[in-house]
Amino acid sequence: MIIAVDGPAASGKGTLARALAEHFGLAYLDTGSLYRATAVRLLAVGNTDPTEDEATKAADTITAADRESPDLRSEATGQMASTVAAMAGVRASLLAFQRNFAANPPGGATGAVMDGRDIGTVVLPDADKKLFITASAKARAHRRFLELSASGDPTSEDQVLADLIDRDRRDAERAQSPMVQAPDAHLLDTTELDIDAAFLAAKAYISGPAR
Ligand code: DC
């Protein structure tokens, strides 16, 4: 069983994908962490304006430690991840890892749940189930603001909203694997749903008839 979960930043897709993986006994991969780890590597050496070559080399050499960096979830890392994610070399570098994860899920799991922007369209177009998770920009900014505040980040909600809109636009308008709902994906809008309600809706879709 391979489940693709795509959607914009702070839509709740990560929390949902993790819960689905646990429920169905599947391996879980947060593919955004690969782009974020690439950004962490670049920012660690002060490279805030990398060429495609530099970013591709960073993507080629990410390690498990990069994906566990305390800076992984910061806003600066997210923006840089979105910038390097528009580069064809970076995407090509990270594609094999993602497909290999789905083909050989770790821990003896019989399948995988992977979340990102292009899982159902490009990485795993033959996934058994595809979800596209969205929510209004305002609701997403509010959730992200609460997360950042809890982690001690002194940002404002307006700034978070502006950054989100910026990132959405870059992710959706890029030429390489833009963020878009696959025609055969099930749309789940979580604007008015809490995590439990979103989980129940996603579970019902996954347990339902084949795509
Ligand atoms: O899901 P996230 O916020 O951790 O992702 C960070 C950035 O990585 C996102 O803005 C775009 C990029 N990304 C991507 O282009 N394709 C994916 N499958 C996952 C993430």
Side-chain angles (χ1 to χ4, degrees), residues 142-165:
H142 185 64
R143 290 173 195 164
R144 184 84 183 117
F145 171 70
L146 293 180
E147 269 172 32
L148 289 170
S149 304
S151 67
D153 194 318
T155 186
S156 73
E157 193 159 336
D158 281 351
Q159 186 58 51
V160 174
L161 178 61
D163 287 348
L164 259 184
I165 290 173

Side-chain angles (χ1 to χ4, degrees), residues 171-188:
D171 292 345
E173 291 181 359
R174 67 184 178 219
Q176 308 290 332
S177 303
M179 169 178 71
V180 63
Q181 181 184 346
D184 51 358
H186 179 77
L187 178 66
L188 185 56

Side-chain angles (χ1 to χ4, degrees), residues 9 13 30-33 35-36 73 78 81-82 85 91 98 115-119 167 171 174:
K13 65 185 187 310
D30 162 11
T31 67
S33 74
Y35 294 89
R36 285 176 179 268
R73 298 275 141 221
S82 168
R91 303 204 73 82
Q98 296 173 75
D115 77 58
R117 300 292 186 292
D118 63 336
I119 308 304
R167 190 137 75 91
D171 292 345
R174 67 184 178 219

Side-chain angles (χ1 to χ4, degrees), residues 11-95:
S11 56
K13 65 185 187 310
T15 310
L16 188 59
R18 207 182 290 273
L20 290 171
E22 174 135 345
H23 178 81
F24 289 103
L26 303 171
Y28 168 61
L29 179 64
D30 162 11
T31 67
S33 74
L34 306 174
Y35 294 89
R36 285 176 179 268
T38 303
V40 162
R41 254 197 126 74
L42 292 162
L43 294 173
V45 295
N47 191 345
T48 53
D49 188 19
T51 63
E52 180 163 346
D53 248 23
E54 290 166 346
T56 303
K57 281 202 184 82
D60 283 342
T61 53
I62 57 171
T63 62
D66 296 321
R67 291 176 57 209
E68 284 158 18
S69 158
D71 298 331
L72 199 76
R73 298 275 141 221
S74 80
E75 201 47 37
T77 299
Q79 291 290 347
M80 176 58 87
S82 168
T83 300
V84 298
M87 298 173 174
V90 170
R91 303 204 73 82
S93 166
L94 300 177
L95 186 61

